Amino acid sequence: MRDADIHPVLRTLRREVRQWPDPVVGVVAKDSSQDPFRILIATVLSLRTKDLTTAEASGRLFALADTPAAMLKLTPARIERAIYPVGFYRNKAVQLLGISRALLGRYGGRVPDDIDELLTLPGVGRKTANLVVTVGYRKPGICVDIHVHRISNRWGYIKTRTPEESEEALRAKLPKRYWITYNDLLVPFGQHLCQPVSPWCSRCKVSDYCDRIGVTRSR
DNA sequence: AAAACGGGGGC
DNA sequence: GCCCCAGTTTT
């Protein structure tokens, strides 16, 4: 895909995405006025779990606690029951308490808006930190989850092997005015249409771009 | 029955 | 770089 193709592709996707169910990030952003703490917690919950199964779990948890101080009043067992059946729920219950403790102790219960500070929190890596910054604070950033990584390469826009490489490549190549839009659209696009195996090319409104670059059609 | 899901951390 | 982490969903 050439640089000049990005704008029409994103514009088309923006029209389509409105009709799809929200991904967990969209749900959280909508239900919480993009509260950074909710973004952070929901993102941790979604690790190594299908994002859509995380949406209900995070909703149940936020009904109990949506601040670090409130979270620290919960026992690990109570958190586990709320977030079941997301994968790794035992580890994640402990981890959520660790994050809440660090936020309360070091930042007065506020969630930092700085990547490097976010990365010091237990279990927070580049994807989670970037998501908090871009979705929680609406600051420009490149948040490469598995969908952004896969689709960027499927389009041939970049050629990278790891999400880390993709973040670097996109930061250098993708015009900055598209950064947030790119993140917002590619996640739901990847979840609902442009999936890892057998994507729904017949329902995809931008499949003509794949045709032009010779990507094989799926169902 | 087996693969898919999918980010972080430890080595 | 490689491998492990846990449990549900899809093939």
Side-chain angles (χ1 to χ4, degrees):
Chain A
M1 181 155 77
R2 296 172 298 116
D3 285 0
D5 292 331
I6 290 189
H7 189 188
V9 166
L10 294 184
R11 195 173 46 201
T12 303
L13 282 182
R14 179 153 43 205
R15 272 199 310 271
E16 293 304 306
V17 160
R18 272 199 279 269
Q19 309 170 23
W20 305 340
D22 283 319
V24 61
V25 173
V27 171
V28 169
K30 189 178 291 181
D31 290 353
S32 64
S33 306
Q34 303 179 353
D35 175 60
F37 183 68
R38 292 198 186 206
I39 302 290
L40 176 55
I41 296 305
T43 307
V44 169
L45 285 182
S46 76
L47 299 188
R48 291 142 59 204
T49 305
K50 284 191 201 29
D51 278 354
L52 292 175
T53 71
T54 310
E56 296 93 20
S58 58
R60 289 193 299 272
L61 181 59
F62 294 146
L64 301 177
D66 65 351
T67 66
M71 192 72 69
L72 288 170
K73 292 194 190 341
L74 302 178
T75 64
R78 186 76 191 86
I79 297 177
E80 285 177 23
R81 257 182 292 137
I83 66 180
Y84 185 86
V86 299
F88 293 85
Y89 57 92
R90 293 188 192 88
N91 297 347
K92 285 172 182 174
V94 173
Q95 187 187 343
L96 295 185
L97 288 169
I99 288 176
S100 298
R101 200 172 299 116
L103 289 176
L104 196 58
R106 306 201 319 244
Y107 301 103
R110 297 261 314 150
V111 177
D113 63 355
D114 177 78
I115 291 287
D116 292 322
E117 293 185 12
L118 287 165
L119 287 174
T120 68
L121 299 171
V124 173
R126 296 210 64 83
K127 185 258 184 173
T128 306
N130 274 122
L131 196 64
V132 170
V133 168
T134 57
V135 179
Y137 289 104
R138 305 312 282 180
K139 289 171 65 177
I142 299 287
C143 176
V144 179
D145 75 339
I146 198 67
H147 301 292
V148 172
H149 173 66
R150 177 183 67 256
I151 296 167
S152 298
N153 279 280
R154 193 172 270 170
W155 276 339
Y157 187 57
I158 55 178
K159 289 180 168 48
T160 54
R161 234 189 64 266
T162 67
E164 288 85 353
E165 291 173 16
S166 292
E167 185 184 333
E168 190 181 351
L170 287 171
R171 199 178 297 282
K173 187 167 184 183
L174 184 67
K176 198 169 186 175
R177 66 185 178 282
Y178 294 140
W179 283 8
I180 288 184
T181 303
Y182 197 75
N183 285 341
D184 283 350
L185 297 181
L186 259 60
V187 175
F189 179 50
Q191 285 177 342
H192 299 295
L193 279 191
C194 201
Q195 294 152 350
V197 296
S198 56
W200 294 94
C201 299
S202 61
R203 301 179 182 175
C204 177
K205 293 293 192 295
V206 298
S207 60
D208 52 326
Y209 289 100
C210 289
D211 291 341
R212 280 170 35 198
I213 64 176
V215 174
T216 313
R217 280 222 176 214
S218 181
R219 56 181 171 180

